[in-house]
Amino acid sequence: MGSLEALVAQIQGLSSSAGDISRLHVILKQAEDSLRSESTRLSPILSQLDPSIHSLGYLYILEACTSVPISKEQAATLVPYVARFISFCVPEQIRLTPDKFICVCKRFKEQVMLLEAPIRGVAPLLAAVQKLQSSSEHLTGLHPEFLLLCLLAKCYKTGLSILEDDIFEVDQPRDFFLYCYYGGMICIGQKHFRKALELLHNAVTAPMSNINAIAIEAYKKYIMVSLIHHGQFSTSLPKYTSSTAQRHLKNFCQPYIDLAVSYSTGKIAELEAYIQTNREHFESDNNFGLVKQVVSSMYKRNIQRLTQTYLTLSLQDIANTVQLNSPKEAEMHVLQMIQDGEIFATINQKDGMVRFLEDPEQYKTCEMIEHIDSSIQRIMALSRKLTAIDEQISCDPLYLAKAGRERQRFDFDDFDTVPQKFNI
């Protein structure tokens, strides 16, 4: 233990200034193998260190402690230590070795899952994400881990907090795919279907050289959320989608594409018959709950079509036309749609009549003007960001070298500047 005691003394003595911490970092790198060999004897040392002062040294020892498989009982002991470290550690110190910090946090996620208490990891991992980020535009390796815990713990609102930022910097492609997929699921859980579509769309259209399971699962949910939110789905993907996704995604998602085709008929009976035939497939994908929301959305779409034709209609007529079981069920659907702002109507419960109204929004209230102004400001900021990225890419040596090689294939001297038939 002599060498370990000496290392602890160095951690305690070299954690004040930036120069001392740089020296300590070198020492810790050299001691990494010996720390791992003593992994089972390191836990008592943690009590001698303050994570808010000795963050770098604490991180190295904590990483060594968790480098070996641990039991459920050991996890119960370690989880409070890791949670406390994440809460109090100094960002400037842990960013000196981000891979090690990510590794410790991922093991922490595994430990809380081993304890079957994912909610215990939500707040610490949110703090970890914020401390590791260089800016709000930076997607770290901890974003997907945090979102997964939010899903497992059903803390959807907490997960939404990191989905509001625009991402421009990504460490690993896989992290981006998982971030979009888990983020899309969280937005679905909160019924924020517009944001869910945006995230799932990004997962489907992101560059990929080989088809991956995350993109396939995202595409399945993208189809269903498109039906729920827009009432329709187009199988054509944008031009910027990778050729790999263009060629292969549909082959893995045919039951969902057929679901969209059945939905497009507007016939509830046909849609429900198709779903029952393929129920086992949807359930094996854990998507049957979303499929049921697709069915519910068809009732809404059919009611919305009625507003384009009729000024007034009885609840009984709505139930018959939309194929609902009773006027009471029709009333519940109409009330929910009015509450969600999907239609504008009033219900006379005395005679069971529904009167459809025009959209009352005049787009001249203070709240609406503020909303439009904030949207314009965001678009302007996004435009400036895209211009800066374009300039950065235009000056990148690797891009210029590749662009130069591509240009050599087509020499302008090889072509006539004027078509021959116009030559005099």
Side-chain angles (χ1 to χ4, degrees):
M1 287 292 290
S3 59
L4 284 177
E5 289 171 354
L7 183 63
V8 170
Q10 288 176 313
I11 292 170
Q12 292 171 334
L14 296 173
S15 295
S16 53
S17 66
D20 286 345
I21 291 171
S22 297
R23 288 172 54 200
L24 177 62
H25 195 193
V26 174
I27 294 168
L28 289 169
K29 282 182 180 178
Q30 294 170 347
E32 196 166 354
D33 292 337
S34 61
L35 281 174
R36 290 191 175 180
S37 65
E38 299 278 2
S39 60
T40 57
R41 304 165 63 186
L42 293 176
S43 295
I45 293 177
L46 293 174
S47 59
Q48 301 177 41
L49 301 174
D50 184 342
S52 64
I53 300 173
H54 314 118
S55 302
L56 186 62
Y58 202 105
L59 174 59
Y60 266 83
I61 293 174
L62 201 54
E63 193 276 333
C65 283
T66 57
S67 62
V68 293
I70 62 172
S71 65
K72 194 171 183 177
E73 292 72 22
Q74 290 172 315
T77 302
L78 270 173
V79 160
Y81 276 105
V82 183
R84 182 170 176 268
F85 166 71
I86 293 172
S87 298
F88 293 102
C89 67
V90 180
E92 290 75 18
Q93 290 193 36
I94 58 103
R95 285 179 192 166
L96 292 173
T97 176
D99 292 343
K100 202 170 286 294
F101 183 69
I102 290 172
C103 185
V104 166
C105 291
K106 286 184 176 181
R107 290 171 186 167
F108 172 71
K109 181 211 74 175
E110 292 167 2
Q111 290 160 15
V112 295
M113 290 176 67
L114 181 64
L115 296 173
E116 299 177 355
I119 196 168
R120 292 182 63 181
V122 171
L125 273 195
L126 176 58
V129 166
Q130 293 168 341
K131 291 188 176 186
L132 189 60
Q133 275 186 308
S134 55
S135 73
S136 61
E137 299 173 352
H138 175 208
L139 179 69
T140 72
L142 294 180
H143 276 76
E145 310 295 331
F146 166 69
L147 292 174
L148 177 57
L149 284 183
C150 288
L151 281 169
L152 295 173
K154 293 183 170 56
C155 295
Y156 302 137
K157 287 185 179 179
T158 308
L160 285 174
S161 64
I162 67 166
L163 296 173
E164 297 169 354
D165 298 319
D166 294 316
I167 297 296
F168 295 101
E169 182 184 345
V170 180
D171 291 340
Q172 297 293 332
R174 184 174 182 273
D175 295 333
F176 179 75
F177 281 103
L178 286 173
Y179 166 81
C180 292
Y181 181 63
Y182 292 149
M185 290 178 69
I186 282 174
C187 291
I188 290 170
Q190 287 293 98
K191 297 193 181 300
H192 293 182
F193 294 120
R194 182 177 177 181
K195 183 64 177 180
L197 271 180
E198 177 189 324
L199 290 164
L200 295 171
H201 175 89
N202 289 342
V204 169
T205 58
M208 64 183 89
S209 54
N210 296 303
I211 200 72
N212 65 73
I214 306 168
I216 292 169
E217 294 306 311
Y219 192 54
K220 292 174 182 177
K221 287 183 170 60
Y222 179 70
I223 293 170
M224 292 184 288
V225 176
S226 294
L227 295 176
I228 293 168
H229 187 61
H230 293 307
Q232 60 184 359
F233 173 74
S234 173
T235 55
S236 60
L237 292 167
K239 291 182 179 179
Y240 50 80
T241 308
S242 69
S243 57
T244 301
Q246 297 269 18
R247 286 196 304 268
H248 300 296
L249 271 179
K250 296 171 188 175
N251 300 333
F252 292 96
C253 305
Q254 195 58 48
Y256 294 87
I257 294 172
D258 292 340
L259 176 72
V261 172
S262 180
Y263 187 98
S264 65
T265 65
K267 298 176 180 177
I268 290 287
E270 288 185 16
L271 179 64
E272 290 182 333
Y274 175 80
I275 290 169
Q276 286 305 316
T277 304
N278 295 271
R279 178 169 181 159
E280 187 176 342
H281 186 96
F282 295 133
E283 286 180 339
S284 66
D285 286 344
N286 294 318
N287 282 330
F288 193 66
L290 203 52
V291 168
K292 288 194 285 188
Q293 291 187 57
V294 169
V295 175
S296 179
S297 75
M298 179 177 272
Y299 288 114
K300 292 182 179 181
R301 296 296 166 194
N302 289 342
I303 291 172
Q304 283 177 329
R305 290 190 187 98
L306 296 177
T307 67
Q308 299 168 9
T309 308
Y310 301 95
L311 290 176
T312 59
L313 207 59
S314 71
L315 289 169
Q316 182 65 62
D317 287 337
I318 292 175
N320 294 339
T321 306
V322 182
Q323 300 176 42
L324 289 165
N325 295 324
S326 66
K328 187 65 178 175
E329 195 173 338
E331 183 180 6
M332 295 306 296
H333 271 83
V334 171
L335 282 172
Q336 187 62 52
M337 292 177 72
I338 293 172
Q339 183 179 333
D340 294 341
E342 294 171 331
I343 62 170
F344 304 96
T346 58
I347 300 175
N348 187 329
Q349 291 182 323
K350 184 178 179 181
D351 55 15
M353 297 297 292
V354 179
R355 183 186 176 202
F356 299 116
L357 308 171
E358 295 291 331
D359 184 352
E361 179 60 65
Q362 298 296 313
Y363 299 96
K364 59 184 182 182
T365 62
C366 293
E367 293 79 5
M368 181 55 68
I369 292 170
E370 288 176 4
H371 174 70
I372 293 172
D373 182 63
S374 65
S375 297
I376 292 171
Q377 294 298 327
R378 184 174 181 272
I379 291 169
M380 290 172 63
L382 182 60
S383 176
R384 289 193 294 269
K385 185 69 180 179
L386 289 173
T387 302
I389 291 173
D390 183 58
E391 291 174 355
Q392 184 180 355
I393 292 173
S394 300
C395 299
D396 184 83
L398 293 175
Y399 168 77
L400 292 173
K402 188 176 189 307
R405 287 195 299 271
E406 294 290 335
R407 195 173 290 117
Q408 288 171 11
R409 299 179 188 178
F410 307 104
D411 194 328
F412 286 111
D413 293 336
D414 294 339
F415 302 92
D416 291 330
T417 54
V418 180
Q420 291 183 359
K421 66 178 181 179
F422 293 117
N423 285 346
I424 300 174

